[in-house]
Amino acid sequence: TMTQQSALRYCQWLSDKTGDFYRLPSEAEWEYACRAGSKTAYSWGDNTKQASDFAWYYDNSAGSYQKVGTQKANAWGLHDMHGNVAEWTLDFYTTGWTEGLDSLFENPIVFPTKKHSRTVRGGSFEDFAPQLRCADRRKSDPKWQARDPQIPKSKWWNPDSPFVGFRIVREKNPKTKAERDAFFAQAIKD
């Protein structure tokens, strides 16, 4: 139920604490990791009947997220890329995101200009198998904060989105504190 801003603040804190650079993956990185070298709809192939071996979703989750790593991993050893909880990415949600990939950017990111809407990937325990595809994406919704009693609404919690979580990446090449701070100033729009 954590907002993308909150997940990024956690990454910023962890980066400051360790000196390494932690962040959310971009949409391109997330999909690359999900596919794990495959060119099929799912990392395991195109057959939705195999979903229950790799993912927690509507048909097998009992309506809740499950312990991480209890389903099969993809070819690169990553668990829960399909289902369980959808995951925040760095990117601001744009409808033409895939068209931008044709220009062969090295790790394209659509940085936000305002708070809503952000992109989540991977599907969740609430979704049906077709929504677990590697390429499937979802737009965040301000309604995910509807039950937040604070006025103004919290920038930290989405009480109406228990189906969203996050995973982080650590960049191989170190960044200075000034570079990390500049990145988070660009990525976080409260």
Side-chain angles (χ1 to χ4, degrees), residues 7-146:
L8 282 168
R9 291 283 183 204
Y10 171 78
C11 292
Q12 186 176 30
W13 171 84
L14 186 61
S15 296
D16 287 345
K17 188 86 170 154
T18 64
D20 290 323
F21 180 41
Y22 292 93
R23 61 177 174 75
L24 298 176
S26 68
E27 277 201 76
E29 289 170 325
W30 189 95
E31 187 168 330
Y32 182 78
C34 182
R35 289 188 181 282
S38 73
K39 298 203 184 304
T40 54
Y42 309 92
S43 63
W44 64 80
D46 289 318
N47 187 348
T48 59
K49 292 184 192 310
Q50 291 181 276
S52 61
D53 292 335
F54 292 87
W56 293 110
Y57 64 110
Y58 183 83
D59 290 346
N60 68 353
S61 69
S64 181
Y65 59 87
Q66 303 295 319
K67 183 177 178 183
V68 173
T70 55
Q71 298 289 55
K72 290 181 180 178
N74 70 13
W76 291 350
L78 298 172
H79 289 271
D80 297 304
M81 295 299 292
H82 303 278
N84 211 8
V85 294
E87 299 175 359
W88 288 114
T89 67
L90 276 174
D91 294 72
F92 191 73
Y93 185 89
T94 58
T95 55
W97 179 76
T98 54
E99 287 85 38
L101 297 179
D102 291 339
S103 58
L104 298 177
F105 288 108
E106 181 183 320
N107 193 23
I109 298 171
V110 179
F111 282 101
T113 55
K114 56 187 177 179
K115 183 176 178 179
H116 288 289
S117 290
R118 307 303 172 87
T119 306
V120 294
R121 302 290 296 261
S124 77
F125 63 86
E126 293 184 347
D127 295 322
F128 294 99
Q131 294 167 293
L132 306 178
R133 293 178 308 109
C134 296
D136 197 62
R137 44 199 307 266
R138 181 181 300 179
K139 179 180 180 179
S140 69
D141 191 327
K143 291 178 185 175
W144 294 353
Q145 291 182 309

Side-chain angles (χ1 to χ4, degrees), residues 3 94 107 118 149 153 160 165 171 174:
T3 64
T94 58
N107 193 23
R118 307 303 172 87
K153 301 290 186 197
D160 296 306
E171 288 206 3

